[in-house]
Amino acid sequence: MNSTTSPEPTGPLLVRVRAVMPALAPAEQRVANAVLADPGGVAAMTISELAEVASTSETTVIRFCKQIGVPGYPQLRLQLAAQSATESLRPEVGGDIEPGDSLADVVSKVAFADERAVRETAQQIDVDALAKVVDAVVKAPRVDLYGFAASAFVALDLQQKLHRIRRVAFAWSDVHIALTSAALLGEGDVAIGISHTGTTVEVVEALEEAAKHGATTVAVTNFPRSPLARTADLVLTTAARETTYRSGAMASRIAQLTVIDCLFIGVAQQVLPDARKALEETASAVRGHRLKGSE
């Protein structure tokens, strides 16, 4: 049965703010933007000052606090101050990639963005939900994976990994084939939908179809209150920041692969003897296609 409520955002404060941003009311989004733009500065503001900066009311600021799982404004200030102090100890590499950046700057910024996506994804991932997904995949006669555009490559990566340890898995990136495959799932099967925004219509439709037939549904998304998350029984969230050149294709993919790798290792641990044997056999099968001396 599909979940009726979305999971609460977890992890560091600013990660939670970004996770709920699309689901906030416009006035609450202005508060969120002010917090993200200057966490340390907001930590020093009174609630009246923040309300003025965000062109809203103190009541809206309190509602914003509740939305991100903070009891009230004093606690928000304390958490912002603590996170700002922690972040100040970590070297920051610029911001977004600019058209005039040198290739050396591009390399530094891409590497920093990807490292941050992996770190923040690991900090906020729901390990209990991950354990339930691992258990479901281990027991599943069949696993369907739905991903489109950049997320299609992530679905294919998980299919290849699961296939190598004898898990029956299929990755679909065509909506017609995804829907027809989902219609053939049943109790015990698992359907995993992958979408950074959680708003990709094709992924949501495929997961809804799988749910109709009794499959356990899983969402991998950056936003725990997205339509995809609301469709799924279990939700695994990422924590990627996408801007300009990285929009929807780079840091989000790295964050998704982090979640996928954790899922794969969890499954492999549960079927370790067979997984080890399968990995050895598949490695042996392709060994002849490597150049001599390259092993």
Side-chain angles (χ1 to χ4, degrees):
M1 181 178 295
N2 294 354
S3 57
T4 55
T5 58
S6 300
E8 288 302 308
T10 57
L13 179 66
L14 298 182
V15 171
R16 301 202 305 271
V17 173
R18 294 186 189 93
V20 303
M21 272 280 280
L24 296 176
E28 294 167 350
Q29 287 186 350
R30 292 198 297 273
V31 178
N33 284 325
V35 168
L36 293 173
D38 186 11
V42 171
M45 292 180 185
T46 66
I47 188 170
S48 299
E49 290 170 336
L50 176 56
E52 183 177 355
V53 166
S55 301
T56 189
S57 65
E58 295 181 15
T59 301
T60 298
V61 174
I62 296 299
R63 283 202 305 267
F64 165 77
C65 293
K66 303 291 185 184
Q67 290 278 21
I68 60 173
V70 177
Y73 190 65
Q75 292 84 354
L76 176 67
R77 293 179 64 186
L78 286 172
Q79 291 189 35
L80 282 173
Q83 187 158 348
S84 296
T86 300
E87 291 296 324
S88 68
L89 300 176
R90 184 179 289 114
E92 185 80 16
V93 181
D96 194 14
I97 297 173
E98 302 296 338
D101 283 347
S102 68
L103 277 178
D105 289 336
V106 169
V107 170
S108 295
K109 289 183 177 182
V110 168
F112 178 82
D114 287 352
E115 182 274 331
R116 180 175 59 189
V118 171
R119 169 169 42 84
E120 293 185 345
T121 293
Q123 288 174 337
Q124 60 80 57
I125 194 167
D126 185 338
V127 178
D128 290 336
L130 177 62
K132 291 177 182 177
V133 178
V134 167
D135 185 61
V137 171
V138 167
K139 296 175 180 176
R142 170 176 156 181
V143 179
D144 259 17
L145 306 162
Y146 312 124
F148 296 83
S151 296
F153 298 103
V154 179
L156 284 168
D157 183 74
L158 181 55
Q159 174 192 280
Q160 187 265 351
K161 283 181 166 67
L162 292 176
H163 191 68
R164 284 197 65 189
I165 57 172
R166 301 187 211 276
R167 301 294 103 186
V168 179
F170 301 94
W172 307 114
S173 58
D174 176 277
V175 64
H176 287 230
I177 300 176
L179 287 170
T180 54
S181 181
L184 298 176
L185 298 180
E187 295 284 344
D189 292 325
V190 173
I192 301 177
I194 305 170
S195 169
H196 171 70
T197 63
T199 59
T200 305
V201 174
E202 294 85 350
V203 179
V204 174
E205 288 180 343
L207 218 60
E208 288 175 339
E209 185 65 30
K212 289 180 186 176
H213 299 277
T216 298
T217 54
V218 180
V220 178
T221 180
N222 209 72
F223 302 101
R225 297 181 184 175
S226 63
L228 183 63
R230 293 196 298 269
T231 299
D233 297 315
L234 298 166
V235 180
L236 301 177
T237 51
T238 57
R241 311 182 198 183
E242 293 291 14
T243 52
T244 314
Y245 294 100
R246 297 194 297 270
S247 181
M250 295 172 67
S252 63
R253 186 189 68 242
I254 297 298
Q256 289 170 348
L257 287 171
T258 299
V259 173
I260 291 309
D261 285 349
C262 292
L263 172 57
F264 166 70
I265 294 297
V267 172
Q269 284 181 322
Q270 297 299 314
V271 294
L272 190 56
D274 187 50
R276 182 179 287 120
K277 185 173 185 293
L279 288 169
E280 290 172 354
E281 289 174 346
T282 53
S284 176
V286 299
R287 192 164 289 128
H289 289 267
R290 298 186 186 278
L291 295 174
K292 291 183 179 179
S294 64
E295 295 182 3

